[in-house]
Amino acid sequence: MVLPMLAVICMTMAGSACQTVKEYQKSRLNDGEMVLGNRKVEKTELNFQSYREGASGANAGKSGGGCGCN
Amino acid sequence: MKRISLTVLGLYVGMLAAFSQSDTDSTQYKRRKLTLEEANLISSYYHQDGNNAAVTGGIGSERLTDLSNSFELRLSKLDKKDRKHTFDIELGIDHYSSASSDKIDPKTVSSASSADTRLYPSLNWSVENKKGTTLGAGLSLSSEFDYKSIGINAMVAQKTRDKSGEFSLKLQAYLDQLKLILPVELRTGSNPEDEKDYPTASRNSFSASLSYSQIINQQLQVAFLTDVVYQHGYLGLPFHRIYFNDGSEGVENLPANRFKIPVGLRASYFAGDHLVLRGYYRYYHDSWGLDAHTASIEASVKLTPFFSVTPFYRYYTQNGVTYFAPFQAHDPGQEYYTSNYDLSAFHSHFFGAGFRVIPPHGVFGISHFNMLEVRYGRYEKSNSMQANIVSLNIRIK
């Protein structure tokens, strides 16, 4: 549980260091490569990883259901 | 008199100007019909091999090939209150062939054994208002020979006042039914003549996904993600054999409940003018005693504003679940047991590269062919299983 706690602490620190970014200053943040979620081309990769590995979730993907998985 | 006339005329012109100003808003054209925002075709070819197939009790070929195609449409419209409604429609088709599945009943060549096709349509709707609140709901179905699934979801998201952060909550439920197809030598009666004659069992998954994303500055944004997942029902598979240490044979038996908590952190950083770095870390824990860590990094190098190359690397490690043991290592007196190596202790490397083309006048000069992305990855597990995957995304806009 140490690592998740560290992650939360990092998030909090990052949050406190936030700058206000206006819409016209978001050209880099809005770049297609900067997306925080999964890109569509990664969809099947996430699918096979969730079957070939015991862990899944926390990646904005599916968290169960849908396949018998051989 | 002349001065009064000029004053009246001035007032009239002023009033006219004031009305014409207000008319500007009402004449602003806003398209309220349902319009197609984009269409995506995602295809992939996946091939794996190894020597620890769960169907044959932890030994034997894991060779499997999967061809996957998914077609997605995104439609949107504005309602009378200027709220944007978005509709995501998806139809996916996977076709796989598997060497180990063929060992369930080697005498039959049916969809239940060597190959199968999975169909999975889904529909999601969301509406966002001007205050940055998004509400959504969705329905999904999945069907293959021995497995049917119905999924429902609802979500709510709220942007912060300065629109630099967003909190979201998504609730999902998957209600699944699987056919209890036993290995041929363990069947007591005759083979069912109709697929409807197989006994079935249920598997239900409920999850709450929480996320918070935050813009840190003009180049950096991060997201914190966590799920709380509860699964209940038949959580093993009836054709996964177990060979016990006394020489007897059975099928895997796993607890009827599983509680999972993954916690993840993502960050995207625009370094300089030509490089985007994306990082991800996840810690996972579940009630079967499985702990896992996942870390990945990818670097998109923009060779031109419209063409980027993205090498990536992902590392994953897990300890095994409490109930795992290899071929002929389980004691028949145990309550739960599996020889599925996906639940054993291992680490894996996944690496590769992709490219993305998004020219201003369309790919190959076709204006609506907005984007093309191709990606190749190689996956290597420490227990010798390995896989290759090639994926393609075509976007029409």
Side-chain angles (χ1 to χ4, degrees):
Chain A
M1 287 303 286
V2 175
L3 285 165
M5 283 175 70
L6 275 174
V8 173
I9 291 165
C10 288
M11 282 289 293
T12 312
M13 287 172 66
S16 63
C18 294
Q19 297 170 3
T20 303
V21 180
K22 293 176 178 156
E23 286 304 314
Y24 68 87
Q25 295 173 318
K26 289 184 178 173
S27 60
R28 290 185 172 178
L29 295 170
N30 291 335
D31 189 280
E33 303 287 357
M34 282 286 283
V35 63
L36 274 173
N38 301 305
R39 293 210 297 265
K40 289 186 186 296
V41 76
E42 295 176 77
K43 184 178 175 172
T44 325
E45 293 172 4
L46 292 167
N47 208 30
F48 92 75
Q49 285 159 4
S50 69
Y51 301 138
R52 292 290 78 93
E53 297 169 350
S56 60
N59 56 10
K62 285 179 71 174
S63 54
C67 179
C69 318
N70 294 288
Chain B
M1 191 66 192
K2 201 177 214 177
R3 184 175 289 174
I4 291 169
S5 299
L6 282 171
T7 307
V8 169
L9 188 68
L11 278 171
Y12 176 74
V13 170
M15 283 170 70
L16 200 67
F19 278 110
S20 33
Q21 191 72 33
S22 66
D23 278 346
T24 309
D25 285 337
S26 63
T27 52
Q28 255 184 4
Y29 177 71
K30 286 185 180 172
R31 191 168 181 162
R32 298 189 190 280
K33 283 184 179 175
L34 199 60
T35 52
L36 177 68
E37 271 192 22
E38 63 178 59
N40 280 278
L41 172 69
I42 303 138
S43 292
S44 74
Y45 175 79
Y46 170 81
H47 179 78
Q48 70 167 51
D49 208 349
N51 292 304
N52 298 114
V55 175
T56 40
I59 54 168
S61 173
E62 290 177 80
R63 196 168 63 249
L64 183 145
T65 300
D66 183 80
L67 185 62
S68 172
N69 287 290
S70 169
F71 188 64
E72 300 177 12
L73 289 177
R74 170 163 284 193
L75 304 153
S76 66
K77 68 170 290 205
L78 288 175
D79 66 13
K80 287 177 182 171
K81 292 181 180 174
D82 284 346
R83 294 175 304 191
K84 187 181 180 185
H85 293 255
T86 305
F87 301 88
D88 288 305
I89 303 163
E90 181 191 356
L91 177 63
I93 303 169
D94 290 1
H95 182 78
Y96 73 82
S97 61
S98 162
S100 65
S101 299
D102 198 34
K103 304 290 185 199
I104 299 169
D105 183 357
K107 290 175 188 166
T108 61
V109 182
S110 68
S111 58
S113 70
S114 64
D116 201 357
T117 299
R118 181 168 79 103
L119 276 170
Y120 49 100
S122 70
L123 173 65
N124 284 285
W125 158 82
S126 66
V127 58
E128 182 179 4
N129 65 20
K130 286 182 175 174
K131 290 178 182 171
T133 307
T134 306
L135 296 171
L139 177 69
S140 63
L141 301 169
S142 175
S143 173
E144 58 191 300
F145 179 81
D146 61 337
Y147 207 94
K148 306 269 185 279
S149 176
I150 298 172
I152 51 172
N153 71 72
M155 64 82 71
V156 59
Q158 177 65 54
K159 287 192 171 85
T160 54
R161 194 171 294 174
D162 63 357
K163 308 243 167 123
S164 69
E166 185 175 47
F167 173 82
S168 85
L169 168 67
K170 188 174 190 179
L171 302 174
Q172 296 180 91
Y174 289 98
L175 311 173
D176 303 354
Q177 286 285 316
L178 66 151
K179 290 192 176 78
L180 297 177
I181 301 171
L182 292 168
V184 63
E185 70 277 14
L186 296 175
R187 295 174 195 169
T188 48
S190 58
N191 280 334
E193 289 177 9
D194 192 287
E195 65 171 88
K196 289 175 186 166
D197 295 338
Y198 285 103
T200 60
S202 65
R203 175 190 299 174
N204 300 322
S205 307
F206 306 96
S207 70
S209 302
L210 290 157
S211 76
Y212 179 73
S213 60
Q214 176 69 49
I215 292 170
I216 306 296
N217 56 41
Q218 291 180 42
Q219 291 154 295
L220 176 65
Q221 54 189 354
V222 296
F224 175 73
L225 312 115
T226 187
D227 294 347
V228 180
V229 184
Y230 172 68
Q231 288 188 298
H232 175 76
Y234 194 104
L235 302 185
L237 283 172
F239 44 79
H240 283 177
R241 290 177 176 88
I242 297 290
Y243 294 98
F244 294 104
N245 55 16
D246 65 354
S248 62
E249 186 190 340
V251 293
E252 84 177 350
N253 188 31
L254 289 165
N257 297 293
R258 193 177 185 187
F259 192 70
K260 310 175 182 180
I261 303 181
V263 181
L265 183 67
R266 272 187 196 281
S268 298
Y269 180 62
F270 211 121
D273 292 329
H274 304 287
L275 179 66
V276 175
L277 297 170
R278 297 172 77 224
Y280 175 67
Y281 169 76
R282 177 183 67 189
Y283 169 74
Y284 170 96
H285 175 76
D286 73 25
S287 59
W288 289 2
L290 195 136
D291 287 285
H293 299 274
T294 310
S296 69
I297 180 96
E298 63 176 51
S300 293
V301 182
K302 289 177 172 289
L303 299 178
T304 76
F306 319 114
F307 181 76
S308 57
V309 177
T310 307
F312 63 89
Y313 173 72
R314 175 183 183 271
Y315 177 75
Y316 173 85
T317 183
Q318 70 175 41
N319 65 347
V321 299
T322 315
Y323 321 110
F324 174 83
F327 179 71
Q328 287 190 331
H330 277 296
D331 188 299
Q334 286 177 258
E335 187 180 7
Y336 300 115
Y337 32 79
T338 179
S339 292
N340 181 357
Y341 273 70
D342 297 336
L343 299 175
S344 69
F346 67 86
H347 62 268
S348 68
H349 304 277
F350 182 52
F351 53 90
F355 70 84
R356 190 167 189 257
V357 191
I358 181 162
H361 302 296
V363 180
F364 304 127
I366 304 166
S367 59
H368 290 294
F369 189 171
N370 176 256
M371 193 270 288
L372 169 70
E373 188 164 9
V374 178
R375 194 164 141 115
Y376 164 77
R378 178 169 176 78
Y379 183 76
E380 293 180 354
K381 264 187 185 179
S382 54
N383 59 22
S384 84
M385 186 232 139
Q386 45 193 259
N388 294 286
I389 183 166
V390 181
S391 305
L392 166 83
N393 177 200
I394 289 172
R395 185 165 74 201
I396 308 294
K397 209 165 180 177

